[in-house]
Amino acid sequence: MASSRLLCSFNTKAAGSIKALAGGTVCYRRNVCSSPSRLQSCMSAWVIDQYGTNGVLRYTEESAAPVIHSAREVMIKVNAASLNPLDVSMRAGYGAKLLKLRRDPLSMESDSEFPLILGRDVSGVVVDCGSQVTHFAPGDEVWAAVPPWKQGSLAEFVKLTEYEVSHKPKSLSHTEAASIPYVANTALSALVNAGGLCRDSSSNKRVLITGGSGGVGTFSIQLLKAWGAHVTVTCSHNAEGLVRGLGADEVVDYTAGDAAEQLQTMEKFDVILDNVGGETEQWAMDLLKPWSGAKYVTLVTPLLLNTDSMGLVDGALQAGVTLHNKAFQNIISGGVFYRWGFYTPDGPALDEVSRLVDAGKILPVVEAQFPFTQVPQAFQKLEQGHARGKTVVRVAEEEEDDGRGEESAQEVRETAELN
């Protein structure tokens, strides 16, 4: 297998691509961009040309297809993508200043990030590789989380480094697999890097997850139970069956009264993973075990909001001061650690998740599916809030769905209307 992967940069036939030796242009589709100045390969994609509401989403078949420039890059034909709350926020301009700097540190143009392709999850098939890629070959089924500073997965093709990609679990379809990577990388970064948990240290640890019915929450419940932790979740009453079915030991219904009061009656926790933010910080610290290394990790941080409103330098400084002050206050007052959690791209971490999935320890939680033609409707579904898992977009219908395209689309439309 290793030797065959060394051939990935040469196996253009398996990749389904055609390289024109004169100029090295790669053509992934038969259609060609309507550019009078040069021949350019194209792909279908949903893009935005400005920040705003759902109306800024635009479908095009003339989006420039990515081209491999680095020896460590992998080109993926997208079968399925999924949406995260971050996609809705990014569509409106959240984090624009910092992410634009990350994309192109030298660019001073105000609109240099457009047209922008959203979508942070991808499941698909490798079609081409850089010359030094060793872990993947054309034809490999893979999944990955696309970093927010890269062009996203609501397109026919996406380009990533091999370190951001992992082999897809064999037991999942592409539609199912697309629901996991971004929340998995986010949860692992928060629980492991910030929370100090791992497979060997989580046994009998008490963990509280606030907002446990969304993508990060439903994944975290399953991961922590696979690691042997005791998991308590806050959610609404109609999500209780879902989180219990995923393994939650105790569930607090925040619609049935003061969640803080209900949690105060329980044994204190070793780690809190906060997906809600806001006022949660004001009462959550008292739920942690004092002077025992307990950690509060929040995924709702002011970093990007600060840089958007105050500028890159002032915003980053203000965020740093806020984090320092809160961390200092909590360590001296109760001996608990206050930390921020962030998404981190990590293909090798997804390798471990893939093994857990194929072992039946982690299940995909897909709330809704939409065909590629209905990306705006998928965004509308996500914006309704109160997620019960993930919203998935089928970019390319899988073989088992052949002949059911129209029927499936009608089912999705009816489901969307009901919701």
Side-chain angles (χ1 to χ4, degrees):
M1 178 63 72
S3 60
S4 67
R5 287 176 180 159
L6 292 175
L7 300 175
C8 69
S9 62
F10 306 105
N11 194 352
T12 56
K13 182 176 179 181
S17 62
I18 302 173
K19 292 189 175 181
L21 297 180
T25 302
V26 179
C27 182
Y28 297 102
R29 286 176 60 85
R30 294 294 192 269
N31 60 312
V32 177
C33 287
S34 55
S35 171
S37 60
R38 63 190 177 96
L39 194 65
Q40 180 179 345
S41 58
C42 298
M43 66 177 180
S44 297
W46 283 89
V47 304
I48 63 172
D49 301 301
Q50 61 183 348
Y51 296 118
T53 59
N54 221 22
V56 301
L57 290 166
R58 175 175 65 89
Y59 174 77
T60 177
E61 293 185 354
E62 295 191 345
S63 180
V67 177
I68 288 181
H69 296 295
S70 167
R72 293 293 187 181
E73 289 178 333
V74 176
M75 187 78 70
I76 301 169
K77 184 181 186 302
V78 181
N79 280 67
S82 76
L83 299 183
N84 296 273
L86 179 62
D87 291 301
V88 176
S89 299
M90 286 181 62
R91 187 198 63 198
Y94 173 72
K97 291 183 178 179
L98 192 59
L99 293 175
K100 179 181 175 183
L101 178 68
R102 179 63 177 80
R103 292 184 191 106
D104 188 357
L106 300 179
S107 176
M108 299 299 292
E109 299 177 21
S110 59
D111 296 328
S112 61
E113 67 266 45
F114 299 119
L116 183 63
I117 303 173
L118 302 173
R120 308 271 62 89
D121 289 289
V122 59
S123 182
V125 179
V126 174
V127 294
D128 202 3
C129 303
S131 60
Q132 295 182 28
V133 171
T134 59
H135 293 89
F136 304 97
D140 285 353
E141 293 191 328
V142 296
W143 63 346
V146 183
W149 52 87
K150 293 189 174 184
Q151 291 285 36
S153 56
L154 292 176
E156 284 188 275
F157 299 93
V158 67
K159 180 179 70 173
L160 296 168
T161 69
E162 68 170 323
Y163 309 111
E164 296 163 337
V165 181
S166 168
H167 288 95
K168 180 184 75 67
K170 294 180 175 60
S171 59
L172 298 186
S173 67
H174 286 292
T175 299
E176 294 169 327
S179 68
I180 294 177
Y182 190 80
V183 297
N185 277 161
T186 302
L188 283 164
S189 177
L191 293 172
V192 177
N193 299 341
L197 298 174
C198 67
R199 179 178 54 189
D200 300 324
S201 67
S202 299
S203 181
N204 298 319
K205 289 289 179 65
R206 290 181 54 80
V207 182
L208 168 65
I209 302 173
T210 64
S213 64
V216 173
T218 53
F219 176 84
S220 298
I221 292 169
Q222 299 180 84
L223 179 68
L224 290 166
K225 292 307 300 179
W227 286 352
H230 181 282
V231 180
T232 301
V233 172
T234 69
C235 64
S236 64
H237 174 70
N238 58 11
E240 181 173 349
L242 169 65
V243 298
R244 286 196 184 278
L246 295 175
D249 297 286
E250 298 182 77
V251 180
V252 172
D253 177 9
Y254 64 79
T255 65
D258 191 324
E261 290 184 2
Q262 298 177 65
L263 291 165
Q264 288 285 359
T265 65
M266 300 180 181
E267 182 183 343
K268 291 189 180 295
F269 298 95
D270 297 286
V271 175
I272 295 176
L273 176 60
D274 180 15
N275 295 289
V276 178
E279 298 180 354
T280 305
E281 291 186 14
Q282 299 176 14
W283 49 261
M285 297 301 171
D286 291 336
L287 303 176
L288 290 165
K289 297 177 181 178
W291 305 105
S292 63
K295 301 174 182 68
Y296 169 88
V297 182
T298 180
L299 294 173
V300 185
T301 77
L303 176 60
L304 295 183
L305 287 175
N306 282 358
T307 56
D308 286 339
S309 62
M310 303 169 63
L312 293 172
V313 176
D314 290 344
L317 287 173
Q318 182 60 48
V321 169
T322 299
L323 176 59
H324 175 271
N325 289 343
K326 289 186 176 182
F328 182 73
Q329 291 169 3
N330 285 287
I331 196 66
I332 65 172
S333 63
V336 299
F337 295 92
Y338 174 92
R339 293 177 175 173
W340 290 351
F342 295 97
Y343 155 81
T344 302
D346 193 341
L350 288 177
D351 290 342
E352 175 61 22
V353 175
S354 184
R355 286 188 285 270
L356 289 172
V357 170
D358 283 337
K361 301 291 186 180
I362 293 179
L363 302 173
V365 183
V366 177
E367 181 182 19
Q369 299 181 36
F370 291 83
F372 193 45
T373 56
Q374 296 185 5
V375 166
Q377 291 89 327
F379 270 86
Q380 290 173 356
K381 174 67 180 71
L382 188 62
E383 288 181 280
Q384 293 174 3
H386 304 290
R388 304 291 179 262
K390 295 294 293 292
T391 296
V392 175
V393 175
R394 302 189 305 272
V395 178
E397 296 293 337
E398 298 180 64
E399 289 184 4
E400 59 264 34
D401 293 331
D402 285 351
R404 297 190 67 252
E406 292 299 323
E407 179 183 350
S408 298
Q410 180 62 32
E411 291 174 357
V412 170
R413 282 192 290 271
E414 292 174 355
T415 301
E417 290 171 359
L418 290 174
N419 290 335

